[in-house]
């Protein structure tokens, strides 16, 4: 049933290998997927089409892998795709939510004490995330430094002129934590890529900064349920019974602007007369355009680093208001939609988490399931990549048209504390919409991609 027209599919019980029949010279794309997890033909088709991309002026796809949270993507590239290219880049293989990432903090607050103040916490956070009580004022110099150099530049400028919520931040702590952000949160961007609203002089209040964003983006308070690798957990500051919070968000309007612009430019730059890629995904091969694209992508990525930092600071400041002087240190912030240099070429991940040797890998389950803190093993065969979640099993549409399936227990919503701006989010993002996280994680442990460090259980989830 998976063998769609024009697609060769093989499965050995562990890995699907797919290829377009029309492109026998394309590298086969491989998907790690245990037999008990669902797979859609459409996603396999998208992956095979990605592997078959090439550019008339040269440049090629060298390897394509997909992680077990693999599922079809709306824009033509499957979520969970990892593509290694040489001489070309594929803006569509990162998508428009550039540098969407998972960020994890822990806090030494007893869970009972936290839950006793649940309502006060929720009211404050709703104000910040949904109703504009946060103050994200930024000096134009801090914004410019952010977009050009990332978090370190932003921090230096902000220390000179702490505005809005930054006046209440412990900026020294943010300095100390900067090595727990992937690549230091510092990419080489170009402020010219910012939408005009961000490029004004003086104090800028950007309405999309420190917002969660729609869909399955979230801020979730969790409890460290179990520690499996004591030494690693200790080194990363994680202990059993701690409170934790996880932020899943990206580059908001900035990423949309850059991503859309460059998907269009890649299409416009396609040589006239050359046959279009059947997938509608256009690679860029011209070296000047490639450089320009990567700079634009990096600019949006820098914005996303700050967006998540502020989302997390709002939790930290609120915990300090309610519980006194809590440190709530950062464990890690690791992006899953990004292009980075790789073996003389590039590696584009779309919904896949870097899993380099000894680096933290954060794999959320759902608002009703376990989330995992893992460590990477740097498995080169898997392109040093792991899943960034459980992966959607049912589309938003099919969830909201479920009819009889709307019973709370069937949706997995029993006991789930979801604080959503839009009521339909609870159904669309219900635990039943996602694959079971257990086999997703276990299959990657079996394949020597990651090892378990700790498990987290949700206490409450904010979704816009
Ligand atoms: P994506 O980046 O593809 O939008 O989503 C990443 C993953 O987040 C999903 O595959 C899913 O496993 C996980 N996820 C979605 N909603 C929630 C939630 O509310 N809480 C937690 N812990 N995980 C979620
Ligand atoms: Mn995203
Ligand atoms: Mn994401």
């Amino acid at each position: 049933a998976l063998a769609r027209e024009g697609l060769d599919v093989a499965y050995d019980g562990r890995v699907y290998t797919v290829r377009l029949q029309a492109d026998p010279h394309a590298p086969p794309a491989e998907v790690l997927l245990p037999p008990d997890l669902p797979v859609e033909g459409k996603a396999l088709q998208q992956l095979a089409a990605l592997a078959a991309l090439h550019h008339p002026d040269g440049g090629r796809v060298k390897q394509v892998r997909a992680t077990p949270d693999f599922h079809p993507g709306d824009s033509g590239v499957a979520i969970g795709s990892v593509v290694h290219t040489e001489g070309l880049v594929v803006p569509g293989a990162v998508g428009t939510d550039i540098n969407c990432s998972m960020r994890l903090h822990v806090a030494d607050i007893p869970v009972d004490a936290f839950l006793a103040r649940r309502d006060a916490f929720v009211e404050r956070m709703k104000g910040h995330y949904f109703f504009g009580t946060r103050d994200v004022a930024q000096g134009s110099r801090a914004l410019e430094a952010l977009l050009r150099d990332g978090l370190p530049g932003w921090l230096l400028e902000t220390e000179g002129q702490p505005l809005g919520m930054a006046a209440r931040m412990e900026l020294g702590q943010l300095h100390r934590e900067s090595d727990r952000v992937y690549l230091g949160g510092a990419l080489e961007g170009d402020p010219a890529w910012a939408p005009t609203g961000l490029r004004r002089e003086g104090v800028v209040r950007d309405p999309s900064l420190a917002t969660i964003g729609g869909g399955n983006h979230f801020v979730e308070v969790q409890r460290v349920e179990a520690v499996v690798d004591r030494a690693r957990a200790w080194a990363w500051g994680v202990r059993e019974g701690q409170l934790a919070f996880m932020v899943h968000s990206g580059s908001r309007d900035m990423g949309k602007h850059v991503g859309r612009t460059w998907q269009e430019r890649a299409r416009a730059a396609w040589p006239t007369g050359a046959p279009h890629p059947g997938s509608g995904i256009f690679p860029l091969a011209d070296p000047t355009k490639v450089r320009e694209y990567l700079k634009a992508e990096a600019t949006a990525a820098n914005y996303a680093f700050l967006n998540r930092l502020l989302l997390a600071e709002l939790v930290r400041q609120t915990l300090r208001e309610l519980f006194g002087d809590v440190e709530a240190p950062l464990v890690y912030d690791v992006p899953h939609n990004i292009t980075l240099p790789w073996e003389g070429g590039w590696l584009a991940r779309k919904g896949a988490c870097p899993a380099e040797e000894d680096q933290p890998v954060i794999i959320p389950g759902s608002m009703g399931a376990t989330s995992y803190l893992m460590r990477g093993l740097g498995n080169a065969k898997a392109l040093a990549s792991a899943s960034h979640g459980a992966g959607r099993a049912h589309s938003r549409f099919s969830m909201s048209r479920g009819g009889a399936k709307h019973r709370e227990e069937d949706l997995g919503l029993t006991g789930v504390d979801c604080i959503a701006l839009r009521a339909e989010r609870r159904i669309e993002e219900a635990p039943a919409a996602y694959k079971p996280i257990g086999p997703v994680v276990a299959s990657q442990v079996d394949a020597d991609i990651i090892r378990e460090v700790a498990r987290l259980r949700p206490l409450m989830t904010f979704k816009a």
Side-chain angles (χ1 to χ4, degrees), residues 69 71 79 100 102 216-218 220 222 246 248 336 351 364-367 369 371 388-392 429 434 461 463:
D69 57 343
H71 59 100
I79 313 301
C100 191
M102 304 294 171
N216 58 3
H217 298 119
F218 60 83
E220 189 168 272
Q222 304 168 331
M246 192 180 279
H248 173 209
H336 48 253
S366 77
M367 59 168 106
S371 293
H388 78 311
R392 209 165 245 291
E429 297 300 323
Y434 289 96
T461 307
K463 289 216 172 173

